[in-house]
Amino acid sequence: PADIHDIQISRHAGATIHLHRQADGSWQMITPHALRADDYLIKAFLDSLASPTISHFKTGSADLARYGLADPQLRLHLNDTEIDFGSTEPLQGHRYVKLGDTVYLTTGTLFYRLSHDALWWVSKQVLPPAAQITALPLPAATLTLKDGKWQLAPADPAISADAIQKLVDTWQDARAMDVLAPQADKSADKSAGEVAIQLARQAEPLRFKILDDSDFLLLV
């Protein structure tokens, strides 16, 4: 895993997903979205490559179409190494995977990981790495960092400094459950307010629209 710096996932449906390891070790999605990738998710995927296969055979004169490998459902590039994913065998649902002149029979876990859409690979961290919040305007109040202390406006003596710090820390470390494409039925006219997070060394705040939803907190 430590030697892999470039991952490309090509499927019949959907654009090619291209992930690249940066100089600092973090992962970035190049296509189809220029976004930070989920480092933990990619590490888990790369670690899973070491899982043992069930069996294997040389391609030789084998009919690759029989194994779904003449036109692979999915093609994976790890650096310059190409791996093709074919169909499943009928008895236990294990999948045929071709690497070079060898076909391996594997469990379905790896194919399942690679079958997700592009946004599945995007970082779930809401704020950029090493971001430092200096102001947090919420729909009903505003928090501002001044001389190392948080100021609440409008002031409320019932809210302690510890509670304010906990709220800021929660936003600082916030991770989403999921990252989704915008949905037409959750449009701008359903907005329930906005959170504008001011970060150190950034002129403009990060603005998150809050969408009205009874089940989740949806930020756009």
Side-chain angles (χ1 to χ4, degrees):
D3 295 332
I4 297 170
H5 55 78
D6 203 75
I7 301 170
Q8 293 191 53
I9 306 163
S10 303
R11 302 169 297 163
H12 283 169
T16 296
I17 300 169
H18 184 187
L19 306 167
H20 187 74
R21 194 198 299 262
Q22 307 296 296
D24 63 359
S26 65
W27 284 87
Q28 176 79 12
M29 179 178 289
I30 308 300
T31 59
H33 310 287
L35 294 169
R36 288 178 293 120
D38 191 322
D39 295 340
Y40 299 101
L41 200 60
I42 295 176
K43 182 182 185 302
F45 158 65
L46 293 177
D47 288 344
S48 71
L49 296 173
S51 300
T53 57
I54 297 162
S55 63
H56 65 276
F57 59 88
K58 294 295 183 182
T59 54
S61 58
D63 179 9
L64 292 181
R66 175 184 174 187
Y67 307 104
L69 290 166
D71 181 23
Q73 295 186 35
L74 185 148
R75 178 164 285 159
L76 171 67
H77 283 91
L78 301 172
N79 296 347
D80 296 324
T81 299
E82 181 178 290
I83 305 173
D84 291 341
F85 289 76
S87 57
T88 56
E89 55 87 21
L91 295 179
Q92 299 186 47
H94 298 317
R95 188 166 297 275
Y96 295 107
V97 175
K98 178 177 173 291
L99 173 59
D101 62 352
T102 304
V103 174
Y104 298 88
L105 196 59
T106 70
T107 63
T109 305
L110 187 57
F111 182 82
Y112 170 78
R113 290 176 184 267
L114 295 171
S115 297
H116 287 283
D117 65 22
L119 292 177
W120 189 74
W121 296 94
V122 172
S123 173
K124 310 303 184 293
Q125 190 174 345
V126 174
L127 299 185
Q132 181 184 356
I133 299 174
T134 58
L136 186 59
L138 303 169
T142 298
L143 296 171
T144 306
L145 186 63
K146 187 176 181 181
D147 299 327
K149 295 183 178 180
W150 286 101
Q151 308 292 324
L152 175 64
D156 186 344
I159 300 177
S160 67
D162 287 344
I164 292 174
Q165 186 64 57
K166 183 177 180 180
L167 174 63
V168 173
D169 290 345
T170 299
W171 275 100
Q172 188 84 50
D173 301 326
R175 290 181 62 85
M177 295 170 59
D178 204 354
V179 179
L180 307 170
Q183 299 177 31
D185 62 336
K186 299 186 184 300
S187 55
D189 60 356
K190 294 186 177 181
S191 175
E194 181 186 77
V195 177
I197 304 178
Q198 185 64 56
L199 302 178
R201 299 174 296 280
Q202 288 196 16
E204 295 295 324
L206 286 179
R207 298 186 182 276
F208 294 93
K209 188 177 298 177
I210 304 171
L211 296 190
D212 187 13
D213 189 280
S214 58
D215 298 318
F216 300 101
L217 173 61
L218 298 179
L219 299 177
V220 179

